Amino acid sequence: MKKLIICVICAICGCMSASAQKFALVDMEYIFKNIPAYERANEQLNQVSKKWQAEVDALTTEAQTLYKNYQNEVVFLSKEQKKAKQDAIVDKEKEAADLKKKYFGPEGELFKKRTALMTPIQEEVYNAIKDVADLRGYQLVLDRASDTGIIYGSPKIDISSEVLSKLGYSK
């Protein structure tokens, strides 16, 4: 009877291990750092971002200058002149805030530019990962570079280099 129970347990364990899922890891940071087009797109985004930030900073500086001038002249101004200067300061601050929102807001120019430049590269990487996963029979591929809580991942299941090779960027 004991032999029969042990045989049944072994058979169940065998069936369970036969249907075990296969996992793999990729390091998206590593992959993107090894794709020249991604690095060029990042550099282009940084340059545009700096240019736009300089425009916003210039308007902010103008608003600050207007305010300092107002503070220096406030005792000499009439009520109407004070109101006009205050309105000019508020308008300049609003202009700076609007420009910042236009460039850096959630639906701003930087977001649109990043989407236009990065999406094709990200889709190409995703498709390569999918192809490698399908080829090797992985049901799940995790990104070790993200904050997903992966404490340890064996280098044996890291397919990052294989994905780069698939994309034509072998190391």
Side-chain angles (χ1 to χ4, degrees):
M1 187 67 170
K2 286 184 180 182
K3 287 183 180 180
L4 181 61
I5 292 175
I6 292 174
C7 286
V8 170
I9 291 175
C10 287
I12 291 173
C13 289
C15 290
M16 290 175 76
S17 66
S19 66
Q21 296 181 351
K22 290 176 67 179
F23 302 98
L25 295 175
V26 293
D27 187 340
M28 295 299 283
E29 203 172 288
Y30 168 78
I31 290 171
F32 286 134
K33 281 184 181 177
N34 285 285
I35 298 176
Y38 189 84
E39 291 295 313
R40 284 191 302 273
N42 250 342
E43 183 58 34
Q44 189 177 353
L45 286 172
N46 286 337
Q47 290 173 354
V48 167
S49 178
K50 286 177 185 176
K51 177 184 163 218
W52 289 341
Q53 187 61 49
E55 289 178 34
V56 171
D57 291 344
L59 284 176
T60 303
T61 302
E62 283 182 46
Q64 290 171 346
T65 302
L66 286 173
Y67 181 70
K68 286 176 185 174
N69 291 342
Y70 170 76
Q71 285 181 322
N72 292 335
E73 301 169 352
V74 72
V75 292
F76 304 113
L77 299 174
S78 68
K79 204 173 204 177
E80 293 80 25
Q81 290 173 325
K82 285 180 186 178
K83 176 77 170 122
K85 296 253 184 193
Q86 290 170 351
D87 289 345
I89 294 167
V90 169
D91 288 345
K92 193 57 77 174
E93 288 173 343
K94 185 179 181 328
E95 187 180 346
D98 289 345
L99 190 62
K100 186 174 184 174
K101 182 179 177 185
K102 175 187 172 196
Y103 288 149
F104 303 109
E107 297 295 322
E109 295 298 319
L110 187 64
F111 174 79
K112 291 175 187 172
K113 191 157 189 73
R114 178 176 283 123
T115 300
L117 290 172
M118 299 298 193
T119 299
I121 299 167
Q122 291 169 337
E123 286 176 358
E124 185 180 11
V125 170
Y126 169 79
N127 289 331
I129 291 170
K130 185 179 178 307
D131 290 346
V132 170
D134 289 344
L135 180 71
R136 297 200 33 205
Y138 296 121
Q139 285 83 26
L140 179 66
V141 178
L142 300 170
D143 179 12
R144 77 170 5 165
S146 69
D147 296 330
T148 57
I150 298 173
I151 296 171
Y152 172 77
S154 171
K156 293 176 185 175
I157 63 171
D158 190 331
I159 61 171
S160 301
S161 295
E162 193 172 341
V163 170
L164 278 173
S165 294
K166 179 99 175 137
L167 290 166
Y169 304 104
S170 58
K171 274 238 166 190

